[in-house]
Amino acid sequence: MPLLIPEDLTEPGTHALVIGISAYQFLEGGDDVNPDNAHLGLKQLSSGARSASEFAGWLLDGHNMPELPLRSLRVLLAPAPGEVIHPAVQSLMKGYHAPTRANVEQAILDFMNATESHSENMAIIYVAGHGVQFTNEGAVLLLSDFGSPSHKRSKYAGAVDMTAIHKAMNYEGNANTQFWFLDLCRGLAPDTEDYDKLGGIFELDINRGEPTNTSPMFLSSSSGQTAYGRPNKVTLFNEALMVGLKEGYAAKTDKPNDPTWRVSTTSLIEYLPSAVEILATAHGRLQKVDVTGRVINSCLHECLSPPNVDLTVTICQTKNPSNYSAELSFRGNKIGHTLTSWPTKTKVRAGLYLVKVTTASPPDIRMDPYSIEPPASEMELPLQ
């Protein structure tokens, strides 16, 4: 069974489904290579299962929604030999957790039964592995038994159309709040030119009723692109996402001096595409995050404390640096020491600060508010 914790449907809460695939039994390098798959050019991965397990581990020990605690967590993983799995997840994986077509199909059906137990529920979905698309908007996840000889007459029986499942879950009465993270490539399926129709993909009926409140879908790559990962580590998308969640870099406050920093639909839209693009560029790659679905703002996670920020304080180039000193105060308390050398780099908590700037000649003191936001902030003095 893919459940990692006992399922509780008595009260509203968070229900999650996590799938990560690195080992493909019937693709090149797998345990039972099917030569009929050679033309696909698909090989084994080394970061899909680990990335999914990192996300599942965060759900277990980091996700914070006091009014919607985690009430079920389904995890299906196919790690490559030697691939590191999050220890908390590994310790709970008893039984059979292979992301085969049969297991994934049943897990999705059971997951949907859980999410629709209360309309106030939150549903969270994260998948990682090989992906293809048949349309510009598609995202089809290839499962661990993709390419099985038993699927000869239905080549994509070992696959699930994640965008179709997303649409199938978008109806009034299901979880009001849904967050979807699809960490996969979105290149055109390599065998589409040989067939009028490729059948067998797992999908579900799509309801014509009213939609759920919010259901943003974050796709790790744009149409036609590759989603990259570092060998034997995690994907670039996962790396950016986990830093954003764990360090609070993807968090914002609702109003100045609000003590609660929240990761929400809008804060993720602002943070995640740029964070992934920066990582990809640093590795000499092109990868852009697509955001689709119903993107009404909702909260995914409340940070337990304000995130840390790497702050750099400089003096305007037209000013004499030796003439200035500065102090930072947060809620009436001075933070750190008086700044007298420039540039100064320090780490502070995010929030709205009062900046006291003192000039020696002519003598003057100026007080200004300044909002310091994650992950990095640069303050040039004197403030305008």
Side-chain angles (χ1 to χ4, degrees):
M1 293 289 292
L3 275 169
L4 262 59
I5 61 174
E7 184 173 69
D8 179 4
L9 305 181
T10 60
E11 299 289 342
T14 296
H15 298 274
L17 172 65
V18 178
I19 303 171
I21 310 162
S22 294
Y24 285 84
Q25 182 178 355
F26 301 103
L27 298 183
E28 182 180 338
D31 293 337
D32 300 293
V33 178
N34 180 359
D36 290 343
N37 298 322
H39 70 289
L40 300 176
L42 298 172
K43 301 180 181 180
Q44 304 299 304
L45 301 177
S46 64
S47 58
R50 179 173 182 175
S51 297
S53 79
E54 290 295 324
F55 187 82
W58 172 77
L59 287 170
L60 285 168
D61 59 30
H63 180 243
N64 179 51
M65 284 291 289
E67 296 181 1
L68 295 172
L70 187 64
R71 298 201 184 277
S72 76
L73 174 58
R74 289 173 168 83
V75 177
L76 294 159
L77 300 178
E83 188 172 7
V84 176
I85 300 302
H86 190 286
V89 174
Q90 186 72 68
S91 67
L92 295 172
M93 291 184 66
K94 312 297 182 184
Y96 192 55
H97 290 259
T100 62
R101 164 62 184 263
N103 285 353
V104 168
E105 182 172 341
Q106 189 61 54
I108 289 176
L109 295 175
D110 292 342
F111 173 66
M112 290 181 66
N113 288 337
T115 61
E116 65 185 6
S117 62
H118 300 278
S119 61
E120 303 93 334
N121 284 338
M122 177 189 293
I124 301 176
I125 300 89
Y126 182 103
V127 303
H130 272 309
V132 297
Q133 63 178 18
F134 294 91
T135 69
N136 288 340
E137 298 178 350
V140 173
L141 175 68
L142 306 186
L143 305 174
S144 63
D145 59 347
F146 174 77
S148 168
S150 65
H151 300 160
K152 182 176 181 179
R153 303 299 179 189
S154 190
K155 291 186 177 296
Y156 280 80
V160 54
D161 186 339
M162 294 305 304
T163 53
I165 302 301
H166 174 263
K167 292 176 182 177
M169 286 189 60
N170 185 23
Y171 60 88
E172 189 178 31
N174 204 334
N176 274 337
T177 303
Q178 302 177 19
F179 284 89
W180 294 69
F181 302 97
L182 308 187
D183 192 358
L184 39 73
C185 299
R186 296 178 63 208
L188 188 67
D191 41 12
T192 52
E193 294 183 359
D194 299 328
Y195 295 86
D196 287 332
K197 178 177 175 59
L198 283 162
I201 299 174
F202 177 52
E203 51 189 350
L204 295 170
D205 297 340
I206 298 174
N207 197 306
R208 284 187 177 178
E210 291 297 316
T212 191
N213 181 53
T214 183
S215 185
M217 183 164 60
F218 297 86
L219 298 118
S220 67
S221 57
S222 293
S223 178
Q225 284 188 342
T226 298
Y228 294 97
R230 293 192 292 158
N232 303 309
K233 295 189 181 294
V234 298
T235 65
L236 302 186
F237 179 81
N238 180 266
E239 183 176 347
L241 177 61
M242 297 317 299
V243 169
L245 295 173
K246 291 181 177 181
E247 302 299 328
Y249 292 170
K252 295 287 184 182
T253 53
D254 293 338
K255 55 185 182 294
N257 266 351
D258 185 343
T260 304
W261 286 72
R262 299 174 179 87
V263 179
S264 66
T265 309
T266 53
S267 72
L268 278 169
I269 290 173
E270 182 176 340
Y271 163 78
L272 196 52
S274 60
V276 171
E277 187 172 5
I278 289 170
L279 277 176
T281 300
H283 287 82
R285 304 293 188 180
L286 175 64
Q287 182 175 337
K288 293 182 178 292
V289 170
D290 273 358
V291 184
T292 185
R294 189 170 172 81
V295 294
I296 308 301
N297 195 37
S298 291
C299 182
L300 168 68
H301 167 65
E302 294 183 356
C303 299
L304 293 174
S305 60
N308 288 323
V309 180
D310 291 318
L311 175 66
T312 302
V313 185
T314 62
I315 297 295
C316 177
Q317 290 183 351
T318 61
K319 305 295 183 181
N320 178 10
S322 63
N323 196 35
Y324 287 84
S325 63
E327 296 178 1
L328 303 179
S329 297
F330 185 69
R331 296 181 184 171
N333 297 315
K334 180 181 175 182
I335 304 299
H337 60 276
T338 300
L339 308 181
T340 57
S341 60
W342 320 101
T344 288
K345 295 186 177 181
T346 186
K347 191 177 289 288
V348 298
R349 292 287 192 180
L352 185 64
Y353 285 74
L354 188 64
V355 184
K356 177 182 176 181
V357 178
T358 302
T359 53
S361 178
D364 189 31
I365 295 177
R366 178 171 174 172
M367 311 281 280
D368 289 295
Y370 190 84
S371 180
I372 297 176
E373 298 187 359
S377 187
E378 184 167 329
M379 178 192 303
E380 184 182 74
L381 302 179
L383 296 173
Q384 300 300 315

